Amino acid sequence: MAKHILAALVENRPGVLARVANLFRRRSFNIDSLSVGRTQRDEMSRMTIVMESDSAEADRLVKNLYKLVDVVHVDHLHSQPSVVREMALVKVRASSENRREVIQLCDIFRARIIDVSAESLVVEITGEEEKLENFTELVRPFGIVEMVRTGMIALGRGGHTLKDEGFKPNRSRAAARRNVL
């Protein structure tokens, strides 16, 4: 089994995320990572979904996503050259004795210190999953007080984009579907 990254362009309205998550639940797939945010168009959101499965199962899930009324376009980025990033905020215990070492690790990993207190530093780190994993393993001996990660986000390289040309919100179809559910 391998990690698969699916990018879905969806209509930006209530209930879409629940319907997508429910599809994964019904098919007994675990979502490793899920990030959702608005796009350059206010009426659209982009979901980046990371899951572990074989290619056939991931392709089948893409077909099932297209059956959801609010889904405009889905791309299986596993098969495309893509830029993939994740961000983490890590609160690291940093006393006066070890603060310099923590700062040096931040420099090595190109992480930014965004908050400083007498007992800790809050570090922002962005990059590929492996980079974040390596950083957290190296700061773990100092003490990770708290950590949050965004989940992966991804874009296809070059001219590859999720297709939204000709998209017109279909309010009547979506309303009819909501009344059925």
Side-chain angles (χ1 to χ4, degrees), residues 141-175:
F142 299 107
I144 297 175
V145 178
E146 197 173 8
M147 180 171 78
V148 63
R149 292 172 70 160
T150 61
M152 289 185 204
I153 55 173
L155 282 176
R157 290 187 181 268
H160 180 79
T161 61
L162 286 179
K163 315 279 186 285
D164 69 349
E165 300 88 32
F167 166 75
K168 291 179 181 70
N170 190 348
R171 300 287 180 207
S172 60
R173 196 170 112 189

Side-chain angles (χ1 to χ4, degrees), residues 17-29:
L17 177 59
R19 284 189 282 283
V20 170
N22 194 35
L23 172 68
F24 276 78
R25 181 195 57 78
R26 283 193 320 262
R27 304 282 185 255
S28 296
F29 284 107

Side-chain angles (χ1 to χ4, degrees), residues 10 27 31 36 72 83 88 98 109 124 132 171:
V10 298
R27 304 282 185 255
I31 297 173
V36 184
V72 175
V83 177
N98 67 7
F109 281 87
E124 174 188 306
L132 275 64
R171 300 287 180 207

Side-chain angles (χ1 to χ4, degrees), residues 20-21 24-25 29-34 48-52:
V20 170
F24 276 78
R25 181 195 57 78
F29 284 107
N30 187 43
I31 297 173
D32 288 345
S33 168
L34 173 65
T48 305
I49 307 161
V50 180
M51 59 182 276
E52 236 177 81

